[in-house]
Amino acid sequence: MTPPGSEPSTRPIGKNLGENVVRIEAEALRALADRLAGPMAADFERAVELLYCCAGRIVVTGMGKSGLIARKIAATLTSTGSPALFLHPAEALHGDLGMVVRGDVVIALSASGETDEILQLLATVKRLGVPLITMTCDDLHSLPEGPRSMSTLAQAADIALDCSVAHEACSLGLAPTASTTTMLALGDALAVALSQRRGFKEEDFASLHPGGKLGKRFLRVSALMRAGNAVPQVKPETTMSDVIYEMSRKGLGMTTVVEGEKLVGLISDGDLRRLLEQHGKKVFDLAAAECMTRSPRTVGPDVFAIAALDVMEQKKITSLPVVDAAGHLLGVLHLHDLWGTQML
């Protein structure tokens, strides 16, 4: 008997086999999107709410190709603010089943819904009262009513999600291709909807990805700025000879001018060159207050470093004083401080 969906006449054949594969998988995704917008919408929303209310962790499991997709879904959930782990069903039967505890939610992936290793987990899942969400290729929205129309896994689910496809992209109709693509997309949809339900923000993503380029782009100015004795600063009455000494000593090509704890001005290397052109040696007789740029461009400590970099690029400056709401000097952010963050 020819396996369903494997008849050569039902599969588009063209000069570009790669193109056909992608088109088949794209069509499977369009069909999935239609289900999410229609008959599966309520089940999807129930699944998101169930995951949102999970007091423990989200345990994602699958065997073979479905297992590889399950690993990725678990990783995406975790990186978007929902603690998750991958449970290998075969290892679970040899001790790892202890990873599932009350308060967890299990997401089980199986194209057929009859994978032995997955089905053997059901007894423990039900005994612990752990809610079960399944992703199978049961055509749940066109099959006749009744439990016999559903796979064993889908029947056992609290929420069964439909990843069915017209046929696989494999020329034999056997290798998981379109079906695993729909599982991956549905997992992404759950993760993104759940992160939005949690109010997950850019700064939350950054805190979970401190070593990645994306995370570094969302570092705060306060994490990168120079502070304390590393900040060049003089008083308004400081002579320019001492100003130059402070600028050379701190090596940032500028110095802040501070009165009390408040920033009142800034003197840069460029300012010093222009002063020398205008006044010559007489510049050394002037005080910082006479030479400084008043009301310089500043930045707050909680601003994203990438936003501060944008200001530097637009204004063609290399340093930004960091001040609080009252104008007190907290530090200085220099372009050099951003070099190691992969933002440049």
Side-chain angles (χ1 to χ4, degrees):
M1 179 176 178
T2 303
S6 64
E7 299 85 351
S9 60
T10 66
R11 185 163 292 97
I13 298 176
K15 294 180 180 179
N16 192 332
L17 181 59
E19 175 190 346
N20 289 336
V21 169
V22 173
R23 291 189 183 281
I24 290 170
E25 298 200 5
E27 183 56 39
L29 291 178
R30 279 192 290 271
L32 174 63
D34 290 342
R35 289 197 296 276
L36 285 171
M40 199 165 71
D43 286 336
F44 180 82
E45 292 301 324
R46 286 175 54 220
V48 172
E49 190 63 24
L50 181 60
L51 294 172
Y52 176 74
C53 295
C54 175
R57 299 153 308 168
I58 302 169
V59 181
V60 192
T61 187
M63 194 73 186
K65 306 299 187 296
S66 297
L68 297 175
I69 300 301
R71 285 183 185 274
K72 194 274 180 185
I73 293 173
T76 301
L77 285 165
T78 298
S79 70
T80 52
S82 300
L85 59 88
F86 170 72
L87 175 65
H88 194 293
E91 296 295 338
L93 300 176
H94 295 276
D96 283 1
L97 197 51
M99 295 166 67
V100 182
V101 298
R102 295 183 191 278
D104 291 346
V105 172
V106 171
I107 301 177
L109 282 65
S110 170
S112 67
E114 302 294 345
T115 306
D116 289 340
E117 293 87 349
I118 300 289
L119 297 182
Q120 291 182 59
L121 305 180
L122 293 180
T124 298
V125 170
K126 294 301 181 181
R127 176 175 58 82
L128 293 174
V130 173
L132 175 64
I133 299 170
T134 62
M135 293 186 194
T136 68
C137 285
D138 289 279
D139 191 350
L140 301 176
H141 302 99
S142 63
L143 289 176
E145 295 293 333
R148 291 184 180 179
S149 301
M150 301 168 63
S151 67
T152 304
L153 185 60
Q155 289 182 55
D158 295 281
I159 302 172
L161 299 178
D162 180 350
C163 288
S164 60
V165 297
H167 46 73
E168 298 287 7
C170 166
S171 58
L172 299 176
L174 300 175
T177 46
S179 59
T180 47
T181 297
T182 57
M183 286 181 176
L184 179 62
L186 185 55
D188 285 342
L190 283 173
V192 172
L194 185 56
S195 69
Q196 183 173 328
R197 180 75 170 81
R198 294 187 188 283
F200 194 73
K201 297 181 175 61
E202 291 174 337
E203 51 265 40
D204 301 316
F205 186 90
S207 68
L208 295 177
H209 300 75
K213 184 173 183 178
L214 289 176
K216 288 175 180 177
R217 289 174 64 86
F218 294 112
L219 285 172
R220 302 288 184 174
V221 165
S222 57
L224 297 172
M225 69 182 187
R226 312 284 179 99
N229 292 331
V231 177
Q233 56 181 298
V234 297
K235 297 179 181 179
E237 62 271 19
T238 303
T239 64
M240 284 303 294
S241 58
D242 288 334
V243 167
I244 294 171
Y245 175 73
E246 177 71 357
M247 292 170 64
S248 299
R249 190 164 66 95
K250 299 298 174 62
L252 296 184
M254 54 77 68
T255 184
T256 58
V257 184
V258 179
E259 189 168 23
E261 295 182 355
K262 287 193 173 183
L263 177 73
V264 295
L266 182 144
I267 302 173
S268 68
D269 279 341
D271 295 328
L272 182 57
R273 287 194 299 271
R274 285 187 289 273
L275 287 166
L276 285 169
E277 288 175 359
Q278 293 174 11
H279 302 285
K281 294 181 179 180
K282 291 181 180 180
V283 72
F284 297 105
D285 298 327
L286 301 176
E290 300 174 271
C291 303
M292 67 187 184
T293 298
R294 299 180 184 275
S295 303
R297 176 72 62 170
T298 61
V299 68
D302 294 327
V303 171
F304 288 129
I306 189 66
L309 175 61
D310 185 55
V311 172
M312 290 181 183
E313 290 177 339
Q314 288 186 24
K315 300 301 178 181
K316 293 181 172 56
I317 56 179
T318 58
S319 298
L320 276 174
V322 183
V323 298
D324 62 17
H328 296 137
L329 182 66
L330 303 177
V332 171
L333 182 69
H334 194 274
L335 193 61
H336 293 167
D337 302 323
L338 302 175
W339 282 355
T341 64
Q342 300 178 20
M343 281 187 279
L344 299 175

